């Protein structure tokens, strides 16, 4: 079954605990936390302090998406704060294999994110060092952007590259219920969604709607 990861980027940051409780009640599988530094992407969000605060408020695994330069400098802080999964961008890591090994050594699961223009080939020599591939279906930085259809082909190519390795393939950006079943068919195992969930009047129902949509073929 496809996993649903609500992105708190579109939640109410002044009422984060409440919004998280809503999606947890709706059956979300993990919580996606977008960390932006104003350098790798043109926006600034949250750091380890907020991850630590979330850790105290939810049992959901925390899926931390680092859109920052030199992520290796902060990986330990995020794991110490309670991140279960740490995803770094291939474009931000000159020593990608080392950074992935660092994440695993700290006891977290390691993910690699690919910007829309980055080919799956970037993963070729780290296939055994990762637990998740995050296919970006928008250029990262903001919630509420339109899904780029090139992600469909990217997901299929990543899936083929992974062979039978038990690696999650997650898709992030512009994911709405009408795309869910085709993304699952492409080989996505996790759907990240921000505005489709927290922009809805009932975020718990939006989690269920996304999951149901992924099931129907
Ligand atoms: C984009 C972030 C996404 C974002 C998705 O830079 O990585 O996680 O929150 O938001 P939606 O689902 O609204 O495109
Ligand atoms: Zn994200």
């Amino acid at each position: 079954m496809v996993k649903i990861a609500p992105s708190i980027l579109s939640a109410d940051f002044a009422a984060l605990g409440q919004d998280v409780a809503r999606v947890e009640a709706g059956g979300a599988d993990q919580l996606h936390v977008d960390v932006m530094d104003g350098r790798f992407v043109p926006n600034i969000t949250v750091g380890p302090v907020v991850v630590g605060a979330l850790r105290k408020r939810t049992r959901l695994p925390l899926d931390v998406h680092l859109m920052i330069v030199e992520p290796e400098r902060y990986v330990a802080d995020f794991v110490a704060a309670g991140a279960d999964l740490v995803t770094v961008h291939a474009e931000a890591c000159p020593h990608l294999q080392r950074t992935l090994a660092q994440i695993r050594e700290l006891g977290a699961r390691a993910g690699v994110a690919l910007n829309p223009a980055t080919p799956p080939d970037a993963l070729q020599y780290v296939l055994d060092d990762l637990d998740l591939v995050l296919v970006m279906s928008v250029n990262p930085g903001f919630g509420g952007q339109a899904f780029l259809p090139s992600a469909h082909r990217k997901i299929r190519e990543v899936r083929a590259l992974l062979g039978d390795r038990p690696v999650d393939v997650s898709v992030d950006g512009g994911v709405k219920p009408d795309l869910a079943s085709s993304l699952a068919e492409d080989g996505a195992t996790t759907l990240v969604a921000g505005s489709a969930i927290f922009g809805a009047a009932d975020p718990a129902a939006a989690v269920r709607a996304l999951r149901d949509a992924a099931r129907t073929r």
Side-chain angles (χ1 to χ4, degrees), residues 7-10 32-34 36 41 65 67 89 134 136 138-146 172-176 192-197:
S7 161
I8 61 160
L9 187 60
S10 294
H32 185 85
V33 182
D34 288 305
M36 307 185 186
V41 291
H65 177 192
M67 287 160 277
H89 268 264
L134 183 64
M136 292 306 302
V138 297
N139 289 288
F142 302 94
Q145 302 183 79
D172 184 8
V175 174
K176 307 271 179 275
V192 176
S195 50
I197 291 175

PDB file of all heavy atoms in Angstrom, residues 7-10 32-34 36 41 65 67 89 134 136 138-146 172-176 192-197, ligand 1:
ATOM      1  N   SER A   7       3.184  17.036   4.138  1.00  0.00           N
ATOM      2  CA  SER A   7       4.275  18.002   4.300  1.00  0.00           C
ATOM      3  C   SER A   7       3.773  19.174   5.123  1.00  0.00           C
ATOM      4  O   SER A   7       2.837  19.877   4.721  1.00  0.00           O
ATOM      5  CB  SER A   7       4.746  18.491   2.934  1.00  0.00           C
ATOM      6  OG  SER A   7       5.465  19.698   3.106  1.00  0.00           O
ATOM      7  N   ILE A   8       4.435  19.402   6.254  1.00  0.00           N
ATOM      8  CA  ILE A   8       3.969  20.456   7.165  1.00  0.00           C
ATOM      9  C   ILE A   8       4.226  21.860   6.634  1.00  0.00           C
ATOM     10  O   ILE A   8       3.800  22.838   7.239  1.00  0.00           O
ATOM     11  CB  ILE A   8       4.586  20.324   8.580  1.00  0.00           C
ATOM     12  CG1 ILE A   8       6.111  20.450   8.517  1.00  0.00           C
ATOM     13  CG2 ILE A   8       4.135  19.034   9.237  1.00  0.00           C
ATOM     14  CD1 ILE A   8       6.733  20.806   9.859  1.00  0.00           C
ATOM     15  N   LEU A   9       4.892  21.948   5.468  1.00  0.00           N
ATOM     16  CA  LEU A   9       5.140  23.271   4.888  1.00  0.00           C
ATOM     17  C   LEU A   9       3.836  24.054   4.700  1.00  0.00           C
ATOM     18  O   LEU A   9       3.816  25.277   4.817  1.00  0.00           O
ATOM     19  CB  LEU A   9       5.873  23.116   3.549  1.00  0.00           C
ATOM     20  CG  LEU A   9       6.362  24.385   2.873  1.00  0.00           C
ATOM     21  CD1 LEU A   9       7.342  25.136   3.770  1.00  0.00           C
ATOM     22  CD2 LEU A   9       7.042  24.065   1.541  1.00  0.00           C
ATOM     23  N   SER A  10       2.759  23.332   4.409  1.00  0.00           N
ATOM     24  CA  SER A  10       1.467  24.009   4.196  1.00  0.00           C
ATOM     25  C   SER A  10       0.588  24.000   5.444  1.00  0.00           C
ATOM     26  O   SER A  10      -0.576  24.390   5.380  1.00  0.00           O
ATOM     27  CB  SER A  10       0.718  23.356   3.031  1.00  0.00           C
ATOM     28  OG  SER A  10       1.424  23.570   1.825  1.00  0.00           O
ATOM     29  N   HIS A  32       6.336  14.702   6.777  1.00  0.00           N
ATOM     30  CA  HIS A  32       7.410  15.234   5.925  1.00  0.00           C
ATOM     31  C   HIS A  32       7.742  16.653   6.387  1.00  0.00           C
ATOM     32  O   HIS A  32       6.880  17.532   6.388  1.00  0.00           O
ATOM     33  CB  HIS A  32       6.924  15.217   4.479  1.00  0.00           C
ATOM     34  CG  HIS A  32       7.940  15.607   3.459  1.00  0.00           C
ATOM     35  ND1 HIS A  32       8.841  14.716   2.915  1.00  0.00           N
ATOM     36  CD2 HIS A  32       8.200  16.792   2.870  1.00  0.00           C
ATOM     37  CE1 HIS A  32       9.608  15.340   2.033  1.00  0.00           C
ATOM     38  NE2 HIS A  32       9.244  16.610   1.986  1.00  0.00           N
ATOM     39  N   VAL A  33       9.004  16.856   6.765  1.00  0.00           N
ATOM     40  CA  VAL A  33       9.437  18.160   7.299  1.00  0.00           C
ATOM     41  C   VAL A  33      10.419  18.789   6.317  1.00  0.00           C
ATOM     42  O   VAL A  33      11.509  18.259   6.080  1.00  0.00           O
ATOM     43  CB  VAL A  33      10.102  17.982   8.685  1.00  0.00           C
ATOM     44  CG1 VAL A  33      10.499  19.347   9.257  1.00  0.00           C
ATOM     45  CG2 VAL A  33       9.175  17.243   9.644  1.00  0.00           C
ATOM     46  N   ASP A  34      10.034  19.910   5.727  1.00  0.00           N
ATOM     47  CA  ASP A  34      10.853  20.587   4.719  1.00  0.00           C
ATOM     48  C   ASP A  34      11.770  21.609   5.364  1.00  0.00           C
ATOM     49  O   ASP A  34      11.312  22.613   5.906  1.00  0.00           O
ATOM     50  CB  ASP A  34       9.944  21.272   3.695  1.00  0.00           C
ATOM     51  CG  ASP A  34       9.266  20.274   2.776  1.00  0.00           C
ATOM     52  OD1 ASP A  34       9.983  19.480   2.145  1.00  0.00           O
ATOM     53  OD2 ASP A  34       8.028  20.274   2.718  1.00  0.00           O
ATOM     54  N   MET A  36      14.642  24.339   4.774  1.00  0.00           N
ATOM     55  CA  MET A  36      15.188  25.195   3.703  1.00  0.00           C
ATOM     56  C   MET A  36      16.077  26.275   4.301  1.00  0.00           C
ATOM     57  O   MET A  36      15.748  26.834   5.345  1.00  0.00           O
ATOM     58  CB  MET A  36      14.049  25.847   2.925  1.00  0.00           C
ATOM     59  CG  MET A  36      13.010  24.865   2.406  1.00  0.00           C
ATOM     60  SD  MET A  36      11.793  25.700   1.386  1.00  0.00           S
ATOM     61  CE  MET A  36      10.632  24.356   1.085  1.00  0.00           C
ATOM     62  N   VAL A  41      17.768  26.627  -1.745  1.00  0.00           N
ATOM     63  CA  VAL A  41      16.461  27.020  -2.296  1.00  0.00           C
ATOM     64  C   VAL A  41      16.149  28.442  -1.826  1.00  0.00           C
ATOM     65  O   VAL A  41      16.654  28.866  -0.784  1.00  0.00           O
ATOM     66  CB  VAL A  41      15.327  26.059  -1.851  1.00  0.00           C
ATOM     67  CG1 VAL A  41      15.469  24.690  -2.476  1.00  0.00           C
ATOM     68  CG2 VAL A  41      15.284  25.934  -0.319  1.00  0.00           C
ATOM     69  N   HIS A  65      13.383  16.409   5.033  1.00  0.00           N
ATOM     70  CA  HIS A  65      13.871  16.704   3.680  1.00  0.00           C
ATOM     71  C   HIS A  65      14.755  17.942   3.757  1.00  0.00           C
ATOM     72  O   HIS A  65      14.253  19.057   3.915  1.00  0.00           O
ATOM     73  CB  HIS A  65      12.639  16.928   2.780  1.00  0.00           C
ATOM     74  CG  HIS A  65      12.941  17.309   1.369  1.00  0.00           C
ATOM     75  ND1 HIS A  65      11.967  17.776   0.499  1.00  0.00           N
ATOM     76  CD2 HIS A  65      14.096  17.270   0.647  1.00  0.00           C
ATOM     77  CE1 HIS A  65      12.514  18.034  -0.674  1.00  0.00           C
ATOM     78  NE2 HIS A  65      13.811  17.753  -0.620  1.00  0.00           N
ATOM     79  N   MET A  67      16.759  20.702   2.283  1.00  0.00           N
ATOM     80  CA  MET A  67      17.036  21.499   1.078  1.00  0.00           C
ATOM     81  C   MET A  67      18.025  22.578   1.490  1.00  0.00           C
ATOM     82  O   MET A  67      17.699  23.766   1.555  1.00  0.00           O
ATOM     83  CB  MET A  67      15.724  22.084   0.534  1.00  0.00           C
ATOM     84  CG  MET A  67      14.858  21.035  -0.136  1.00  0.00           C
ATOM     85  SD  MET A  67      13.130  21.545  -0.248  1.00  0.00           S
ATOM     86  CE  MET A  67      12.585  21.074   1.387  1.00  0.00           C
ATOM     87  N   HIS A  89      19.911  16.321  -0.821  1.00  0.00           N
ATOM     88  CA  HIS A  89      19.855  16.485  -2.266  1.00  0.00           C
ATOM     89  C   HIS A  89      21.161  16.059  -2.914  1.00  0.00           C
ATOM     90  O   HIS A  89      22.246  16.471  -2.468  1.00  0.00           O
ATOM     91  CB  HIS A  89      19.539  17.941  -2.631  1.00  0.00           C
ATOM     92  CG  HIS A  89      18.072  18.160  -2.796  1.00  0.00           C
ATOM     93  ND1 HIS A  89      17.443  18.127  -4.018  1.00  0.00           N
ATOM     94  CD2 HIS A  89      17.108  18.347  -1.872  1.00  0.00           C
ATOM     95  CE1 HIS A  89      16.149  18.306  -3.839  1.00  0.00           C
ATOM     96  NE2 HIS A  89      15.917  18.445  -2.552  1.00  0.00           N
ATOM     97  N   LEU A 134      13.839  10.361  -3.275  1.00  0.00           N
ATOM     98  CA  LEU A 134      12.772  11.362  -3.313  1.00  0.00           C
ATOM     99  C   LEU A 134      12.813  12.043  -4.682  1.00  0.00           C
ATOM    100  O   LEU A 134      13.746  12.794  -4.980  1.00  0.00           O
ATOM    101  CB  LEU A 134      12.987  12.381  -2.190  1.00  0.00           C
ATOM    102  CG  LEU A 134      11.935  13.466  -2.007  1.00  0.00           C
ATOM    103  CD1 LEU A 134      10.591  12.861  -1.614  1.00  0.00           C
ATOM    104  CD2 LEU A 134      12.353  14.459  -0.922  1.00  0.00           C
ATOM    105  N   MET A 136      11.693  14.760  -6.968  1.00  0.00           N
ATOM    106  CA  MET A 136      11.038  16.068  -6.889  1.00  0.00           C
ATOM    107  C   MET A 136      10.232  16.303  -8.167  1.00  0.00           C
ATOM    108  O   MET A 136      10.778  16.252  -9.271  1.00  0.00           O
ATOM    109  CB  MET A 136      12.063  17.191  -6.736  1.00  0.00           C
ATOM    110  CG  MET A 136      12.810  17.214  -5.404  1.00  0.00           C
ATOM    111  SD  MET A 136      11.755  17.220  -3.941  1.00  0.00           S
ATOM    112  CE  MET A 136      10.765  18.695  -4.209  1.00  0.00           C
ATOM    113  N   VAL A 138       8.512  19.168  -8.469  1.00  0.00           N
ATOM    114  CA  VAL A 138       8.562  20.634  -8.629  1.00  0.00           C
ATOM    115  C   VAL A 138      10.001  21.024  -8.319  1.00  0.00           C
ATOM    116  O   VAL A 138      10.737  20.251  -7.718  1.00  0.00           O
ATOM    117  CB  VAL A 138       7.626  21.390  -7.634  1.00  0.00           C
ATOM    118  CG1 VAL A 138       6.166  21.042  -7.856  1.00  0.00           C
ATOM    119  CG2 VAL A 138       8.023  21.136  -6.177  1.00  0.00           C
ATOM    120  N   ASN A 139      10.390  22.230  -8.708  1.00  0.00           N
ATOM    121  CA  ASN A 139      11.682  22.750  -8.247  1.00  0.00           C
ATOM    122  C   ASN A 139      11.481  23.173  -6.797  1.00  0.00           C
ATOM    123  O   ASN A 139      10.582  23.970  -6.500  1.00  0.00           O
ATOM    124  CB  ASN A 139      12.139  23.903  -9.134  1.00  0.00           C
ATOM    125  CG  ASN A 139      12.549  23.393 -10.503  1.00  0.00           C
ATOM    126  OD1 ASN A 139      13.581  22.752 -10.644  1.00  0.00           O
ATOM    127  ND2 ASN A 139      11.722  23.624 -11.511  1.00  0.00           N
ATOM    128  N   PRO A 140      12.277  22.600  -5.874  1.00  0.00           N
ATOM    129  CA  PRO A 140      11.974  22.785  -4.462  1.00  0.00           C
ATOM    130  C   PRO A 140      12.077  24.232  -3.999  1.00  0.00           C
ATOM    131  O   PRO A 140      12.797  25.030  -4.574  1.00  0.00           O
ATOM    132  CB  PRO A 140      13.012  21.902  -3.761  1.00  0.00           C
ATOM    133  CG  PRO A 140      14.113  21.730  -4.731  1.00  0.00           C
ATOM    134  CD  PRO A 140      13.474  21.784  -6.091  1.00  0.00           C
ATOM    135  N   GLY A 141      11.345  24.542  -2.952  1.00  0.00           N
ATOM    136  CA  GLY A 141      11.392  25.872  -2.355  1.00  0.00           C
ATOM    137  C   GLY A 141      10.049  26.334  -1.832  1.00  0.00           C
ATOM    138  O   GLY A 141       9.991  27.061  -0.849  1.00  0.00           O
ATOM    139  N   PHE A 142       8.989  25.900  -2.478  1.00  0.00           N
ATOM    140  CA  PHE A 142       7.668  26.402  -2.095  1.00  0.00           C
ATOM    141  C   PHE A 142       6.608  25.310  -2.227  1.00  0.00           C
ATOM    142  O   PHE A 142       6.732  24.433  -3.086  1.00  0.00           O
ATOM    143  CB  PHE A 142       7.264  27.586  -2.989  1.00  0.00           C
ATOM    144  CG  PHE A 142       8.270  28.714  -2.913  1.00  0.00           C
ATOM    145  CD1 PHE A 142       9.297  28.797  -3.840  1.00  0.00           C
ATOM    146  CD2 PHE A 142       8.215  29.652  -1.888  1.00  0.00           C
ATOM    147  CE1 PHE A 142      10.252  29.809  -3.762  1.00  0.00           C
ATOM    148  CE2 PHE A 142       9.158  30.661  -1.800  1.00  0.00           C
ATOM    149  CZ  PHE A 142      10.182  30.747  -2.740  1.00  0.00           C
ATOM    150  N   GLY A 143       5.584  25.406  -1.409  1.00  0.00           N
ATOM    151  CA  GLY A 143       4.430  24.533  -1.555  1.00  0.00           C
ATOM    152  C   GLY A 143       3.511  25.098  -2.633  1.00  0.00           C
ATOM    153  O   GLY A 143       3.692  26.241  -3.081  1.00  0.00           O
ATOM    154  N   GLY A 144       2.550  24.294  -3.057  1.00  0.00           N
ATOM    155  CA  GLY A 144       1.512  24.776  -3.949  1.00  0.00           C
ATOM    156  C   GLY A 144       1.912  24.981  -5.401  1.00  0.00           C
ATOM    157  O   GLY A 144       1.192  25.637  -6.146  1.00  0.00           O
ATOM    158  N   GLN A 145       3.053  24.429  -5.837  1.00  0.00           N
ATOM    159  CA  GLN A 145       3.451  24.565  -7.241  1.00  0.00           C
ATOM    160  C   GLN A 145       2.831  23.436  -8.075  1.00  0.00           C
ATOM    161  O   GLN A 145       2.410  22.408  -7.550  1.00  0.00           O
ATOM    162  CB  GLN A 145       4.975  24.499  -7.370  1.00  0.00           C
ATOM    163  CG  GLN A 145       5.724  25.554  -6.574  1.00  0.00           C
ATOM    164  CD  GLN A 145       7.231  25.462  -6.825  1.00  0.00           C
ATOM    165  OE1 GLN A 145       7.731  25.927  -7.831  1.00  0.00           O
ATOM    166  NE2 GLN A 145       7.941  24.829  -5.897  1.00  0.00           N
ATOM    167  N   ALA A 146       2.854  23.646  -9.401  1.00  0.00           N
ATOM    168  CA  ALA A 146       2.251  22.648 -10.296  1.00  0.00           C
ATOM    169  C   ALA A 146       3.203  21.471 -10.526  1.00  0.00           C
ATOM    170  O   ALA A 146       4.405  21.646 -10.699  1.00  0.00           O
ATOM    171  CB  ALA A 146       1.912  23.303 -11.630  1.00  0.00           C
ATOM    172  N   ASP A 172       7.417  14.154  -4.548  1.00  0.00           N
ATOM    173  CA  ASP A 172       7.190  15.370  -3.758  1.00  0.00           C
ATOM    174  C   ASP A 172       7.003  16.582  -4.657  1.00  0.00           C
ATOM    175  O   ASP A 172       7.915  16.977  -5.389  1.00  0.00           O
ATOM    176  CB  ASP A 172       8.417  15.564  -2.837  1.00  0.00           C
ATOM    177  CG  ASP A 172       8.275  16.744  -1.879  1.00  0.00           C
ATOM    178  OD1 ASP A 172       7.190  17.341  -1.800  1.00  0.00           O
ATOM    179  OD2 ASP A 172       9.284  17.037  -1.184  1.00  0.00           O
ATOM    180  N   GLY A 173       5.811  17.185  -4.576  1.00  0.00           N
ATOM    181  CA  GLY A 173       5.554  18.426  -5.279  1.00  0.00           C
ATOM    182  C   GLY A 173       4.332  18.338  -6.175  1.00  0.00           C
ATOM    183  O   GLY A 173       4.332  17.580  -7.141  1.00  0.00           O
ATOM    184  N   GLY A 174       3.312  19.097  -5.833  1.00  0.00           N
ATOM    185  CA  GLY A 174       2.123  19.152  -6.680  1.00  0.00           C
ATOM    186  C   GLY A 174       1.300  17.873  -6.709  1.00  0.00           C
ATOM    187  O   GLY A 174       0.502  17.674  -7.632  1.00  0.00           O
ATOM    188  N   VAL A 175       1.488  17.011  -5.708  1.00  0.00           N
ATOM    189  CA  VAL A 175       0.744  15.743  -5.695  1.00  0.00           C
ATOM    190  C   VAL A 175      -0.690  15.989  -5.219  1.00  0.00           C
ATOM    191  O   VAL A 175      -0.907  16.547  -4.146  1.00  0.00           O
ATOM    192  CB  VAL A 175       1.445  14.689  -4.799  1.00  0.00           C
ATOM    193  CG1 VAL A 175       0.595  13.434  -4.666  1.00  0.00           C
ATOM    194  CG2 VAL A 175       2.830  14.366  -5.349  1.00  0.00           C
ATOM    195  N   LYS A 176      -1.634  15.581  -6.056  1.00  0.00           N
ATOM    196  CA  LYS A 176      -3.058  15.733  -5.753  1.00  0.00           C
ATOM    197  C   LYS A 176      -3.733  14.382  -5.991  1.00  0.00           C
ATOM    198  O   LYS A 176      -3.154  13.519  -6.672  1.00  0.00           O
ATOM    199  CB  LYS A 176      -3.704  16.755  -6.709  1.00  0.00           C
ATOM    200  CG  LYS A 176      -2.999  18.119  -6.762  1.00  0.00           C
ATOM    201  CD  LYS A 176      -3.534  19.073  -5.722  1.00  0.00           C
ATOM    202  CE  LYS A 176      -2.853  20.417  -5.733  1.00  0.00           C
ATOM    203  NZ  LYS A 176      -1.621  20.526  -4.966  1.00  0.00           N
ATOM    204  N   VAL A 192       4.179  12.431  -1.046  1.00  0.00           N
ATOM    205  CA  VAL A 192       4.296  13.591  -0.169  1.00  0.00           C
ATOM    206  C   VAL A 192       3.286  14.624  -0.665  1.00  0.00           C
ATOM    207  O   VAL A 192       3.210  14.879  -1.871  1.00  0.00           O
ATOM    208  CB  VAL A 192       5.719  14.194  -0.237  1.00  0.00           C
ATOM    209  CG1 VAL A 192       5.811  15.465   0.615  1.00  0.00           C
ATOM    210  CG2 VAL A 192       6.766  13.177   0.216  1.00  0.00           C
ATOM    211  N   ALA A 193       2.530  15.204   0.236  1.00  0.00           N
ATOM    212  CA  ALA A 193       1.577  16.235  -0.194  1.00  0.00           C
ATOM    213  C   ALA A 193       1.426  17.285   0.894  1.00  0.00           C
ATOM    214  O   ALA A 193       1.226  16.955   2.066  1.00  0.00           O
ATOM    215  CB  ALA A 193       0.219  15.608  -0.512  1.00  0.00           C
ATOM    216  N   GLY A 194       1.552  18.536   0.496  1.00  0.00           N
ATOM    217  CA  GLY A 194       1.407  19.653   1.422  1.00  0.00           C
ATOM    218  C   GLY A 194       0.077  20.339   1.250  1.00  0.00           C
ATOM    219  O   GLY A 194      -0.848  20.153   2.037  1.00  0.00           O
ATOM    220  N   SER A 195      -0.042  21.137   0.161  1.00  0.00           N
ATOM    221  CA  SER A 195      -1.265  21.923  -0.023  1.00  0.00           C
ATOM    222  C   SER A 195      -2.499  21.041  -0.208  1.00  0.00           C
ATOM    223  O   SER A 195      -3.589  21.411   0.235  1.00  0.00           O
ATOM    224  CB  SER A 195      -1.097  22.886  -1.197  1.00  0.00           C
ATOM    225  OG  SER A 195      -0.612  22.230  -2.333  1.00  0.00           O
ATOM    226  N   ALA A 196      -2.337  19.856  -0.833  1.00  0.00           N
ATOM    227  CA  ALA A 196      -3.507  18.989  -1.040  1.00  0.00           C
ATOM    228  C   ALA A 196      -4.073  18.503   0.295  1.00  0.00           C
ATOM    229  O   ALA A 196      -5.252  18.167   0.386  1.00  0.00           O
ATOM    230  CB  ALA A 196      -3.140  17.798  -1.921  1.00  0.00           C
ATOM    231  N   ILE A 197      -3.233  18.481   1.333  1.00  0.00           N
ATOM    232  CA  ILE A 197      -3.698  17.993   2.642  1.00  0.00           C
ATOM    233  C   ILE A 197      -4.020  19.153   3.579  1.00  0.00           C
ATOM    234  O   ILE A 197      -5.144  19.279   4.076  1.00  0.00           O
ATOM    235  CB  ILE A 197      -2.655  17.032   3.265  1.00  0.00           C
ATOM    236  CG1 ILE A 197      -2.615  15.727   2.449  1.00  0.00           C
ATOM    237  CG2 ILE A 197      -2.992  16.750   4.740  1.00  0.00           C
ATOM    238  CD1 ILE A 197      -1.560  14.733   2.873  1.00  0.00           C
TER     239      ILE A 197
HETATM  240  C1  LIG B   1       8.761  21.706  -1.988  1.00  0.00           C
HETATM  241  C2  LIG B   1       8.714  20.791  -0.769  1.00  0.00           C
HETATM  242  C3  LIG B   1       7.477  20.002  -0.711  1.00  0.00           C
HETATM  243  C4  LIG B   1       6.227  20.836  -0.584  1.00  0.00           C
HETATM  244  C5  LIG B   1       5.153  20.157  -1.335  1.00  0.00           C
HETATM  245  O1  LIG B   1       9.962  22.368  -2.018  1.00  0.00           O
HETATM  246  O2  LIG B   1       9.802  19.891  -0.794  1.00  0.00           O
HETATM  247  O3  LIG B   1       7.522  19.007   0.291  1.00  0.00           O
HETATM  248  O4  LIG B   1       5.810  21.053   0.733  1.00  0.00           O
HETATM  249  O5  LIG B   1       4.020  20.961  -1.315  1.00  0.00           O
HETATM  250  P1  LIG B   1       2.818  20.725  -2.335  1.00  0.00           P
HETATM  251  O6  LIG B   1       2.285  19.349  -2.068  1.00  0.00           O
HETATM  252  O7  LIG B   1       1.880  21.803  -1.996  1.00  0.00           O
HETATM  253  O8  LIG B   1       3.396  20.850  -3.722  1.00  0.00           O
END
